[in-house]
Amino acid sequence: MKIYILALAVLPVIFFVGWIYFKDRYEKEPPLKLIEYFLLGILVSILAILLEFYFSKLNIFSGIMGTLYIAFFVAAFTEEGLKSIILIPVLLKDKNFNEKLDGIIYSIFLSLGFATIENIIYLMRERLDLSFELAVTRGLISVPSHIMFAITMGYYISKYKFSKEDDNGRNKYLIYAVIIPILLHGVFDFILMIGYRWAIIVFIVYIIFLWKVNLDKLDRYALYSKIRFYKRKNKSRKGDKID
């Protein structure tokens, strides 16, 4: 049965690994490097579990304030904060981070490593007869949501990386890379936790918003990657210096 649970937890992650890997069509990242970021995500997940357990014990609130505390601080702040603390310094020093799309690709791989451990834990806690239903729900909602938060984080890290060094306002992108995923994640969890009947409608609208905004960011950088690839290819044919 453990193999069954493990398969349910890992299958959606495998699907999204393939999806994002083939999305990076023009200058693919080294597979070993992608695995490295995936493993970093696993490390972040383990740290997050420990911190979330500790912060949950500190919850002195009740009602709506307790829900806000769990959604925005225990879950969103801890998870996205840890991701950014580990991802940003590692990624900015990485020599393979040489185009805008890379920030999103590496951020997603880290988030998928995180989602893998999270999936396994949730499914291990669930009754066996309900595990398939939970796996489908998480595969359609929870894992993609981690990807959406990762796209936002990677997008702003790339904006920082490829802004001009004399741009005094570029540091704001690092702030955005931390704060915006936390807020997006907090809202996501809060809507799920409040339990009102109308919340499902708000949640569906919010999911559509997340996908639209973040897939637009991904497509924008994928287009930059394509343009960059063909520019370099044309320069190479002409014998010009490749930047």
Side-chain angles (χ1 to χ4, degrees), residues 48 50-79 182-183 185-191 193-194:
L50 298 174
L51 282 177
E52 284 175 328
F53 177 79
Y54 175 74
F55 289 143
S56 294
K57 296 292 185 182
L58 299 179
N59 185 9
I60 60 173
F61 305 104
S62 60
I64 198 72
M65 288 302 298
T67 303
L68 284 168
Y69 175 81
I70 296 296
F72 281 89
F73 186 76
V74 176
F77 176 78
T78 302
E79 294 180 13
I182 290 174
L183 293 176
H185 192 153
V187 171
F188 177 92
D189 284 357
F190 180 73
I191 296 172
M193 293 171 65
I194 53 178

mmCIF file of all heavy atoms in Angstrom, residues 48 50-79 182-183 185-191 193-194:
data_model
loop_
_atom_site.group_PDB
_atom_site.id
_atom_site.type_symbol
_atom_site.label_atom_id
_atom_site.label_comp_id
_atom_site.label_asym_id
_atom_site.label_seq_id
_atom_site.Cartn_x
_atom_site.Cartn_y
_atom_site.Cartn_z
ATOM 1 N N ALA A 48 10.318 23.358 6.551
ATOM 2 C CA ALA A 48 9.008 23.978 6.710
ATOM 3 C C ALA A 48 8.110 23.167 7.642
ATOM 4 O O ALA A 48 7.378 23.736 8.464
ATOM 5 C CB ALA A 48 8.329 24.144 5.346
ATOM 6 N N LEU A 50 8.993 21.328 10.151
ATOM 7 C CA LEU A 50 9.431 21.552 11.532
ATOM 8 C C LEU A 50 8.983 22.926 12.039
ATOM 9 O O LEU A 50 8.478 23.051 13.157
ATOM 10 C CB LEU A 50 10.952 21.425 11.616
ATOM 11 C CG LEU A 50 11.530 20.052 11.255
ATOM 12 C CD1 LEU A 50 13.053 20.103 11.244
ATOM 13 C CD2 LEU A 50 11.036 18.980 12.228
ATOM 14 N N LEU A 51 9.162 23.957 11.208
ATOM 15 C CA LEU A 51 8.798 25.308 11.626
ATOM 16 C C LEU A 51 7.280 25.465 11.753
ATOM 17 O O LEU A 51 6.794 26.114 12.691
ATOM 18 C CB LEU A 51 9.350 26.334 10.636
ATOM 19 C CG LEU A 51 10.842 26.659 10.760
ATOM 20 C CD1 LEU A 51 11.262 27.624 9.675
ATOM 21 C CD2 LEU A 51 11.158 27.242 12.132
ATOM 22 N N GLU A 52 6.554 24.885 10.817
ATOM 23 C CA GLU A 52 5.090 24.997 10.868
ATOM 24 C C GLU A 52 4.530 24.323 12.123
ATOM 25 O O GLU A 52 3.573 24.815 12.726
ATOM 26 C CB GLU A 52 4.479 24.385 9.607
ATOM 27 C CG GLU A 52 4.631 25.274 8.382
ATOM 28 C CD GLU A 52 4.141 24.633 7.112
ATOM 29 O OE1 GLU A 52 4.241 23.394 6.973
ATOM 30 O OE2 GLU A 52 3.637 25.369 6.242
ATOM 31 N N PHE A 53 5.106 23.199 12.489
ATOM 32 C CA PHE A 53 4.681 22.519 13.709
ATOM 33 C C PHE A 53 4.915 23.424 14.921
ATOM 34 O O PHE A 53 4.048 23.563 15.791
ATOM 35 C CB PHE A 53 5.451 21.212 13.873
ATOM 36 C CG PHE A 53 5.139 20.469 15.136
ATOM 37 C CD1 PHE A 53 3.986 19.715 15.251
ATOM 38 C CD2 PHE A 53 6.001 20.536 16.232
ATOM 39 C CE1 PHE A 53 3.684 19.047 16.433
ATOM 40 C CE2 PHE A 53 5.712 19.871 17.414
ATOM 41 C CZ PHE A 53 4.545 19.121 17.513
ATOM 42 N N TYR A 54 6.071 24.073 14.957
ATOM 43 C CA TYR A 54 6.413 24.963 16.071
ATOM 44 C C TYR A 54 5.495 26.189 16.096
ATOM 45 O O TYR A 54 4.929 26.536 17.151
ATOM 46 C CB TYR A 54 7.869 25.396 15.957
ATOM 47 C CG TYR A 54 8.288 26.403 16.992
ATOM 48 C CD1 TYR A 54 8.488 26.036 18.319
ATOM 49 C CD2 TYR A 54 8.482 27.741 16.638
ATOM 50 C CE1 TYR A 54 8.861 26.972 19.278
ATOM 51 C CE2 TYR A 54 8.860 28.682 17.580
ATOM 52 C CZ TYR A 54 9.049 28.290 18.894
ATOM 53 O OH TYR A 54 9.414 29.223 19.840
ATOM 54 N N PHE A 55 5.317 26.838 14.930
ATOM 55 C CA PHE A 55 4.491 28.050 14.878
ATOM 56 C C PHE A 55 3.019 27.750 15.179
ATOM 57 O O PHE A 55 2.310 28.595 15.733
ATOM 58 C CB PHE A 55 4.617 28.723 13.517
ATOM 59 C CG PHE A 55 5.957 29.375 13.285
ATOM 60 C CD1 PHE A 55 6.555 29.354 12.026
ATOM 61 C CD2 PHE A 55 6.628 30.010 14.316
ATOM 62 C CE1 PHE A 55 7.785 29.943 11.810
ATOM 63 C CE2 PHE A 55 7.869 30.613 14.110
ATOM 64 C CZ PHE A 55 8.446 30.577 12.855
ATOM 65 N N SER A 56 2.566 26.565 14.786
ATOM 66 C CA SER A 56 1.175 26.183 15.077
ATOM 67 C C SER A 56 0.933 26.122 16.583
ATOM 68 O O SER A 56 -0.143 26.486 17.075
ATOM 69 C CB SER A 56 0.848 24.831 14.446
ATOM 70 O OG SER A 56 0.876 24.913 13.038
ATOM 71 N N LYS A 57 1.947 25.676 17.314
ATOM 72 C CA LYS A 57 1.827 25.589 18.773
ATOM 73 C C LYS A 57 1.737 26.975 19.420
ATOM 74 O O LYS A 57 1.253 27.116 20.549
ATOM 75 C CB LYS A 57 3.034 24.842 19.356
ATOM 76 C CG LYS A 57 3.143 23.383 18.932
ATOM 77 C CD LYS A 57 2.033 22.546 19.528
ATOM 78 C CE LYS A 57 2.228 21.072 19.203
ATOM 79 N NZ LYS A 57 1.114 20.242 19.746
ATOM 80 N N LEU A 58 2.204 27.992 18.705
ATOM 81 C CA LEU A 58 2.203 29.356 19.248
ATOM 82 C C LEU A 58 0.907 30.101 18.961
ATOM 83 O O LEU A 58 0.767 31.267 19.346
ATOM 84 C CB LEU A 58 3.377 30.151 18.670
ATOM 85 C CG LEU A 58 4.788 29.626 18.967
ATOM 86 C CD1 LEU A 58 5.819 30.517 18.296
ATOM 87 C CD2 LEU A 58 5.039 29.549 20.476
ATOM 88 N N ASN A 59 -0.021 29.453 18.277
ATOM 89 C CA ASN A 59 -1.260 30.114 17.880
ATOM 90 C C ASN A 59 -2.127 30.428 19.103
ATOM 91 O O ASN A 59 -2.662 29.529 19.758
ATOM 92 C CB ASN A 59 -2.042 29.222 16.912
ATOM 93 C CG ASN A 59 -3.272 29.919 16.367
ATOM 94 O OD1 ASN A 59 -3.468 31.123 16.569
ATOM 95 N ND2 ASN A 59 -4.116 29.171 15.681
ATOM 96 N N ILE A 60 -2.267 31.704 19.418
ATOM 97 C CA ILE A 60 -3.075 32.125 20.560
ATOM 98 C C ILE A 60 -4.410 32.722 20.101
ATOM 99 O O ILE A 60 -5.203 33.188 20.919
ATOM 100 C CB ILE A 60 -2.322 33.174 21.403
ATOM 101 C CG1 ILE A 60 -1.998 34.418 20.556
ATOM 102 C CG2 ILE A 60 -1.057 32.579 22.006
ATOM 103 C CD1 ILE A 60 -1.415 35.573 21.352
ATOM 104 N N PHE A 61 -4.649 32.692 18.780
ATOM 105 C CA PHE A 61 -5.837 33.332 18.226
ATOM 106 C C PHE A 61 -6.963 32.322 18.044
ATOM 107 O O PHE A 61 -6.743 31.116 18.013
ATOM 108 C CB PHE A 61 -5.511 33.994 16.890
ATOM 109 C CG PHE A 61 -4.372 34.971 16.951
ATOM 110 C CD1 PHE A 61 -3.119 34.627 16.448
ATOM 111 C CD2 PHE A 61 -4.554 36.227 17.508
ATOM 112 C CE1 PHE A 61 -2.065 35.521 16.504
ATOM 113 C CE2 PHE A 61 -3.497 37.128 17.575
ATOM 114 C CZ PHE A 61 -2.258 36.773 17.061
ATOM 115 N N SER A 62 -8.154 32.833 17.875
ATOM 116 C CA SER A 62 -9.303 31.991 17.580
ATOM 117 C C SER A 62 -10.138 32.660 16.491
ATOM 118 O O SER A 62 -9.921 33.830 16.165
ATOM 119 C CB SER A 62 -10.154 31.782 18.834
ATOM 120 O OG SER A 62 -10.627 33.028 19.331
ATOM 121 N N GLY A 63 -11.076 31.909 15.936
ATOM 122 C CA GLY A 63 -11.948 32.467 14.914
ATOM 123 C C GLY A 63 -11.192 32.898 13.680
ATOM 124 O O GLY A 63 -10.240 32.243 13.241
ATOM 125 N N ILE A 64 -11.601 34.038 13.132
ATOM 126 C CA ILE A 64 -11.031 34.512 11.872
ATOM 127 C C ILE A 64 -9.561 34.884 12.026
ATOM 128 O O ILE A 64 -8.757 34.684 11.112
ATOM 129 C CB ILE A 64 -11.831 35.718 11.322
ATOM 130 C CG1 ILE A 64 -11.532 35.931 9.837
ATOM 131 C CG2 ILE A 64 -11.573 36.970 12.129
ATOM 132 C CD1 ILE A 64 -12.115 34.897 8.949
ATOM 133 N N MET A 65 -9.185 35.388 13.206
ATOM 134 C CA MET A 65 -7.785 35.739 13.431
ATOM 135 C C MET A 65 -6.905 34.491 13.455
ATOM 136 O O MET A 65 -5.780 34.499 12.956
ATOM 137 C CB MET A 65 -7.624 36.520 14.740
ATOM 138 C CG MET A 65 -8.146 37.935 14.687
ATOM 139 S SD MET A 65 -7.364 38.923 13.389
ATOM 140 C CE MET A 65 -5.652 38.907 13.939
ATOM 141 N N GLY A 66 -7.416 33.423 14.019
ATOM 142 C CA GLY A 66 -6.678 32.163 14.018
ATOM 143 C C GLY A 66 -6.490 31.625 12.614
ATOM 144 O O GLY A 66 -5.421 31.106 12.273
ATOM 145 N N THR A 67 -7.527 31.773 11.794
ATOM 146 C CA THR A 67 -7.448 31.334 10.394
ATOM 147 C C THR A 67 -6.418 32.160 9.626
ATOM 148 O O THR A 67 -5.625 31.619 8.852
ATOM 149 C CB THR A 67 -8.826 31.450 9.719
ATOM 150 O OG1 THR A 67 -9.777 30.685 10.453
ATOM 151 C CG2 THR A 67 -8.768 30.920 8.285
ATOM 152 N N LEU A 68 -6.438 33.472 9.854
ATOM 153 C CA LEU A 68 -5.454 34.342 9.204
ATOM 154 C C LEU A 68 -4.035 33.987 9.630
ATOM 155 O O LEU A 68 -3.112 33.968 8.806
ATOM 156 C CB LEU A 68 -5.748 35.810 9.554
ATOM 157 C CG LEU A 68 -6.924 36.464 8.837
ATOM 158 C CD1 LEU A 68 -7.272 37.795 9.482
ATOM 159 C CD2 LEU A 68 -6.604 36.654 7.352
ATOM 160 N N TYR A 69 -3.860 33.707 10.905
ATOM 161 C CA TYR A 69 -2.541 33.344 11.424
ATOM 162 C C TYR A 69 -2.026 32.074 10.760
ATOM 163 O O TYR A 69 -0.869 32.022 10.303
ATOM 164 C CB TYR A 69 -2.619 33.154 12.937
ATOM 165 C CG TYR A 69 -1.331 32.659 13.568
ATOM 166 C CD1 TYR A 69 -0.291 33.541 13.846
ATOM 167 C CD2 TYR A 69 -1.166 31.308 13.882
ATOM 168 C CE1 TYR A 69 0.893 33.094 14.416
ATOM 169 C CE2 TYR A 69 0.007 30.848 14.455
ATOM 170 C CZ TYR A 69 1.033 31.735 14.716
ATOM 171 O OH TYR A 69 2.211 31.277 15.271
ATOM 172 N N ILE A 70 -2.873 31.050 10.681
ATOM 173 C CA ILE A 70 -2.461 29.780 10.071
ATOM 174 C C ILE A 70 -2.186 29.956 8.583
ATOM 175 O O ILE A 70 -1.167 29.484 8.062
ATOM 176 C CB ILE A 70 -3.540 28.698 10.279
ATOM 177 C CG1 ILE A 70 -3.715 28.384 11.769
ATOM 178 C CG2 ILE A 70 -3.179 27.434 9.510
ATOM 179 C CD1 ILE A 70 -2.506 27.781 12.429
ATOM 180 N N ALA A 71 -3.093 30.651 7.888
ATOM 181 C CA ALA A 71 -2.980 30.781 6.431
ATOM 182 C C ALA A 71 -1.776 31.623 6.018
ATOM 183 O O ALA A 71 -0.996 31.223 5.153
ATOM 184 C CB ALA A 71 -4.263 31.384 5.861
ATOM 185 N N PHE A 72 -1.634 32.801 6.649
ATOM 186 C CA PHE A 72 -0.612 33.741 6.185
ATOM 187 C C PHE A 72 0.733 33.569 6.874
ATOM 188 O O PHE A 72 1.774 33.787 6.246
ATOM 189 C CB PHE A 72 -1.110 35.182 6.364
ATOM 190 C CG PHE A 72 -2.063 35.629 5.307
ATOM 191 C CD1 PHE A 72 -3.424 35.426 5.458
ATOM 192 C CD2 PHE A 72 -1.606 36.223 4.146
ATOM 193 C CE1 PHE A 72 -4.315 35.825 4.473
ATOM 194 C CE2 PHE A 72 -2.477 36.630 3.151
ATOM 195 C CZ PHE A 72 -3.851 36.428 3.311
ATOM 196 N N PHE A 73 0.723 33.192 8.143
ATOM 197 C CA PHE A 73 2.002 33.092 8.846
ATOM 198 C C PHE A 73 2.526 31.661 8.877
ATOM 199 O O PHE A 73 3.622 31.389 8.383
ATOM 200 C CB PHE A 73 1.892 33.643 10.269
ATOM 201 C CG PHE A 73 3.211 33.684 10.984
ATOM 202 C CD1 PHE A 73 4.142 34.666 10.687
ATOM 203 C CD2 PHE A 73 3.542 32.727 11.928
ATOM 204 C CE1 PHE A 73 5.385 34.702 11.322
ATOM 205 C CE2 PHE A 73 4.767 32.742 12.572
ATOM 206 C CZ PHE A 73 5.686 33.732 12.265
ATOM 207 N N VAL A 74 1.746 30.752 9.450
ATOM 208 C CA VAL A 74 2.217 29.373 9.589
ATOM 209 C C VAL A 74 2.496 28.746 8.233
ATOM 210 O O VAL A 74 3.540 28.129 8.023
ATOM 211 C CB VAL A 74 1.196 28.518 10.373
ATOM 212 C CG1 VAL A 74 1.644 27.060 10.419
ATOM 213 C CG2 VAL A 74 1.024 29.061 11.784
ATOM 214 N N ALA A 75 1.572 28.897 7.290
ATOM 215 C CA ALA A 75 1.736 28.261 5.980
ATOM 216 C C ALA A 75 2.501 29.146 4.998
ATOM 217 O O ALA A 75 3.611 28.817 4.577
ATOM 218 C CB ALA A 75 0.369 27.889 5.413
ATOM 219 N N ALA A 76 1.904 30.277 4.614
ATOM 220 C CA ALA A 76 2.467 31.088 3.525
ATOM 221 C C ALA A 76 3.829 31.687 3.860
ATOM 222 O O ALA A 76 4.788 31.562 3.091
ATOM 223 C CB ALA A 76 1.484 32.197 3.153
ATOM 224 N N PHE A 77 3.929 32.354 5.013
ATOM 225 C CA PHE A 77 5.183 33.000 5.390
ATOM 226 C C PHE A 77 6.300 31.967 5.555
ATOM 227 O O PHE A 77 7.428 32.168 5.075
ATOM 228 C CB PHE A 77 5.004 33.804 6.680
ATOM 229 C CG PHE A 77 6.275 34.423 7.193
ATOM 230 C CD1 PHE A 77 6.770 35.575 6.620
ATOM 231 C CD2 PHE A 77 6.982 33.836 8.240
ATOM 232 C CE1 PHE A 77 7.956 36.147 7.080
ATOM 233 C CE2 PHE A 77 8.154 34.400 8.706
ATOM 234 C CZ PHE A 77 8.643 35.557 8.128
ATOM 235 N N THR A 78 5.988 30.873 6.228
ATOM 236 C CA THR A 78 7.007 29.851 6.469
ATOM 237 C C THR A 78 7.466 29.208 5.168
ATOM 238 O O THR A 78 8.670 29.123 4.888
ATOM 239 C CB THR A 78 6.460 28.756 7.414
ATOM 240 O OG1 THR A 78 6.059 29.361 8.637
ATOM 241 C CG2 THR A 78 7.528 27.717 7.701
ATOM 242 N N GLU A 79 6.521 28.759 4.352
ATOM 243 C CA GLU A 79 6.879 28.021 3.144
ATOM 244 C C GLU A 79 7.532 28.909 2.090
ATOM 245 O O GLU A 79 8.621 28.599 1.584
ATOM 246 C CB GLU A 79 5.636 27.331 2.575
ATOM 247 C CG GLU A 79 5.095 26.248 3.496
ATOM 248 C CD GLU A 79 3.863 25.552 2.958
ATOM 249 O OE1 GLU A 79 3.558 25.724 1.747
ATOM 250 O OE2 GLU A 79 3.200 24.833 3.727
ATOM 251 N N ILE A 182 4.179 35.119 -0.860
ATOM 252 C CA ILE A 182 3.600 34.933 0.471
ATOM 253 C C ILE A 182 2.134 35.371 0.485
ATOM 254 O O ILE A 182 1.256 34.662 1.001
ATOM 255 C CB ILE A 182 4.399 35.714 1.534
ATOM 256 C CG1 ILE A 182 5.773 35.074 1.757
ATOM 257 C CG2 ILE A 182 3.626 35.783 2.855
ATOM 258 C CD1 ILE A 182 6.679 35.874 2.678
ATOM 259 N N LEU A 183 1.864 36.530 -0.102
ATOM 260 C CA LEU A 183 0.488 37.030 -0.137
ATOM 261 C C LEU A 183 -0.412 36.129 -0.976
ATOM 262 O O LEU A 183 -1.544 35.808 -0.572
ATOM 263 C CB LEU A 183 0.469 38.457 -0.687
ATOM 264 C CG LEU A 183 1.137 39.521 0.189
ATOM 265 C CD1 LEU A 183 1.132 40.878 -0.509
ATOM 266 C CD2 LEU A 183 0.449 39.613 1.541
ATOM 267 N N HIS A 185 -0.017 32.969 -1.639
ATOM 268 C CA HIS A 185 -0.180 31.704 -0.927
ATOM 269 C C HIS A 185 -1.130 31.882 0.262
ATOM 270 O O HIS A 185 -2.000 31.028 0.519
ATOM 271 C CB HIS A 185 1.193 31.221 -0.440
ATOM 272 C CG HIS A 185 1.200 29.815 0.061
ATOM 273 N ND1 HIS A 185 2.320 29.022 0.031
ATOM 274 C CD2 HIS A 185 0.235 29.043 0.634
ATOM 275 C CE1 HIS A 185 2.055 27.841 0.533
ATOM 276 N NE2 HIS A 185 0.780 27.825 0.924
ATOM 277 N N GLY A 186 -0.992 32.973 0.980
ATOM 278 C CA GLY A 186 -1.850 33.222 2.133
ATOM 279 C C GLY A 186 -3.314 33.342 1.745
ATOM 280 O O GLY A 186 -4.192 32.776 2.410
ATOM 281 N N VAL A 187 -3.576 34.063 0.677
ATOM 282 C CA VAL A 187 -4.959 34.200 0.197
ATOM 283 C C VAL A 187 -5.513 32.838 -0.219
ATOM 284 O O VAL A 187 -6.661 32.494 0.093
ATOM 285 C CB VAL A 187 -5.025 35.202 -0.979
ATOM 286 C CG1 VAL A 187 -6.414 35.180 -1.621
ATOM 287 C CG2 VAL A 187 -4.689 36.612 -0.499
ATOM 288 N N PHE A 188 -4.692 32.064 -0.921
ATOM 289 C CA PHE A 188 -5.082 30.717 -1.363
ATOM 290 C C PHE A 188 -5.518 29.865 -0.171
ATOM 291 O O PHE A 188 -6.604 29.277 -0.163
ATOM 292 C CB PHE A 188 -3.897 30.071 -2.081
ATOM 293 C CG PHE A 188 -4.124 28.659 -2.535
ATOM 294 C CD1 PHE A 188 -4.602 28.402 -3.810
ATOM 295 C CD2 PHE A 188 -3.835 27.578 -1.715
ATOM 296 C CE1 PHE A 188 -4.810 27.097 -4.247
ATOM 297 C CE2 PHE A 188 -4.040 26.274 -2.132
ATOM 298 C CZ PHE A 188 -4.530 26.030 -3.406
ATOM 299 N N ASP A 189 -4.692 29.800 0.855
ATOM 300 C CA ASP A 189 -5.007 28.977 2.025
ATOM 301 C C ASP A 189 -6.195 29.545 2.817
ATOM 302 O O ASP A 189 -7.033 28.785 3.324
ATOM 303 C CB ASP A 189 -3.789 28.875 2.942
ATOM 304 C CG ASP A 189 -2.745 27.910 2.406
ATOM 305 O OD1 ASP A 189 -2.999 27.277 1.360
ATOM 306 O OD2 ASP A 189 -1.677 27.785 3.023
ATOM 307 N N PHE A 190 -6.258 30.860 2.919
ATOM 308 C CA PHE A 190 -7.335 31.487 3.692
ATOM 309 C C PHE A 190 -8.698 31.169 3.095
ATOM 310 O O PHE A 190 -9.641 30.826 3.812
ATOM 311 C CB PHE A 190 -7.120 33.002 3.756
ATOM 312 C CG PHE A 190 -8.174 33.724 4.536
ATOM 313 C CD1 PHE A 190 -8.211 33.637 5.917
ATOM 314 C CD2 PHE A 190 -9.140 34.480 3.895
ATOM 315 C CE1 PHE A 190 -9.187 34.306 6.647
ATOM 316 C CE2 PHE A 190 -10.122 35.138 4.611
ATOM 317 C CZ PHE A 190 -10.146 35.050 5.988
ATOM 318 N N ILE A 191 -8.811 31.282 1.778
ATOM 319 C CA ILE A 191 -10.092 30.987 1.124
ATOM 320 C C ILE A 191 -10.489 29.531 1.365
ATOM 321 O O ILE A 191 -11.664 29.225 1.608
ATOM 322 C CB ILE A 191 -10.009 31.276 -0.391
ATOM 323 C CG1 ILE A 191 -9.757 32.764 -0.641
ATOM 324 C CG2 ILE A 191 -11.313 30.862 -1.080
ATOM 325 C CD1 ILE A 191 -9.484 33.100 -2.089
ATOM 326 N N MET A 193 -9.718 27.730 3.923
ATOM 327 C CA MET A 193 -9.925 27.450 5.338
ATOM 328 C C MET A 193 -11.170 28.086 5.941
ATOM 329 O O MET A 193 -11.658 27.623 6.979
ATOM 330 C CB MET A 193 -8.690 27.906 6.139
ATOM 331 C CG MET A 193 -7.433 27.110 5.845
ATOM 332 S SD MET A 193 -5.954 27.846 6.594
ATOM 333 C CE MET A 193 -6.334 27.673 8.336
ATOM 334 N N ILE A 194 -11.712 29.148 5.321
ATOM 335 C CA ILE A 194 -12.792 29.883 5.979
ATOM 336 C C ILE A 194 -14.100 29.088 6.035
ATOM 337 O O ILE A 194 -14.909 29.292 6.936
ATOM 338 C CB ILE A 194 -13.032 31.260 5.331
ATOM 339 C CG1 ILE A 194 -13.236 31.140 3.820
ATOM 340 C CG2 ILE A 194 -11.904 32.209 5.663
ATOM 341 C CD1 ILE A 194 -13.537 32.472 3.144
#
